[in-house]
Amino acid sequence: MVTIHEGRPGLSRRELLKRGGVGAALLVISGSAVISPQHAWGLETTALKPETMATLIQMARDIYPHDQVPDKYYAIAVKSHDEMAGKDAAHKELIEKGIADLDQKAGAGGYAGLGWEEERVKLLQGIEDTPFFQAIRGGLVVGLYNQKEIWPIFGYEGESYSKGGYIARGFDDIEWL
């Protein structure tokens, strides 16, 4: 769920405490930042709108869904689009227009406002051949899975050469069979 507070500098302490009991992930947009008060992380945007980044985070989670991976790693994965948008006006237009089109197709509340993952995935399937979707999906492959902090979640120990190679480190382990 994304909460947008237009015209207000942020979230009051009372509002934060009141919403603390919500079970769903809560991303708050304040100024030029996307903040997750529930999990104590934030992401400042420089080129893209914070609402765009919040939608990109949700989109990333829907493209590569891993319930055990916290939103902050998805935010790190899509941050490169904000950095690239600051250097390349065409990329900024691609992302902002792509999110605007996605929000329009989603209707009231936009893409991030859709409550059911199935509805969001259906929208994504409808745009999967577009340059916008391919840019996001392609960036996520590297941006998400190259984060060493999440490798243990997937059981990946990293490269093996510095540790003696795969032959000496479980090449023939077949515990998964």
Side-chain angles (χ1 to χ4, degrees):
M1 177 171 95
V2 176
T3 305
I4 301 171
H5 299 282
E6 294 183 24
R8 295 188 352 208
L11 191 64
S12 73
R13 181 177 182 273
R14 181 177 300 269
E15 255 184 298
L16 179 64
L17 292 174
K18 188 168 52 172
R19 294 172 188 212
V22 177
L26 174 70
L27 295 180
V28 177
I29 296 173
S30 178
S32 65
V34 179
I35 302 167
S36 175
Q38 186 178 19
H39 297 99
W41 64 266
L43 174 71
E44 186 173 4
T45 61
T46 56
L48 297 173
K49 293 184 267 186
E51 297 85 2
T52 299
M53 288 302 292
T55 302
L56 281 174
I57 293 166
Q58 181 61 60
M59 189 178 167
R61 181 167 281 293
D62 291 336
I63 293 172
Y64 292 110
H66 299 290
D67 292 339
Q68 68 276 30
V69 175
D71 280 344
K72 80 175 188 176
Y73 297 108
Y74 286 98
I76 292 167
V78 297
K79 177 65 174 161
S80 63
H81 291 290
D82 182 53
E83 293 165 356
M84 192 179 304
K87 299 174 188 170
D88 181 6
H91 187 75
K92 180 176 181 175
E93 182 180 349
L94 175 74
I95 301 301
E96 292 286 3
K97 185 177 180 324
I99 293 295
D101 290 346
L102 193 59
D103 283 343
Q104 180 187 12
K105 289 176 182 179
Y111 177 82
L114 291 175
W116 297 102
E117 181 180 0
E118 294 83 23
E119 294 174 347
R120 293 189 308 269
V121 169
K122 187 179 280 188
L123 281 175
L124 292 177
Q125 288 171 337
I127 66 164
E128 66 187 347
D129 292 329
T130 65
F132 163 68
F133 181 86
Q134 292 301 318
I136 302 303
R137 186 199 57 76
L140 283 171
V141 170
V142 175
L144 183 62
Y145 297 113
N146 273 3
Q147 296 180 55
K148 291 181 180 183
E149 296 83 10
I150 66 170
W151 289 353
I153 293 171
F154 300 118
Y156 179 60
E157 298 174 355
E159 59 82 25
S160 188
Y161 178 77
S162 66
K163 300 172 184 114
Y166 289 110
I167 300 282
R169 296 190 63 247
F171 170 76
D172 59 353
D173 287 352
I174 56 170
E175 298 171 7
W176 52 272
L177 272 181

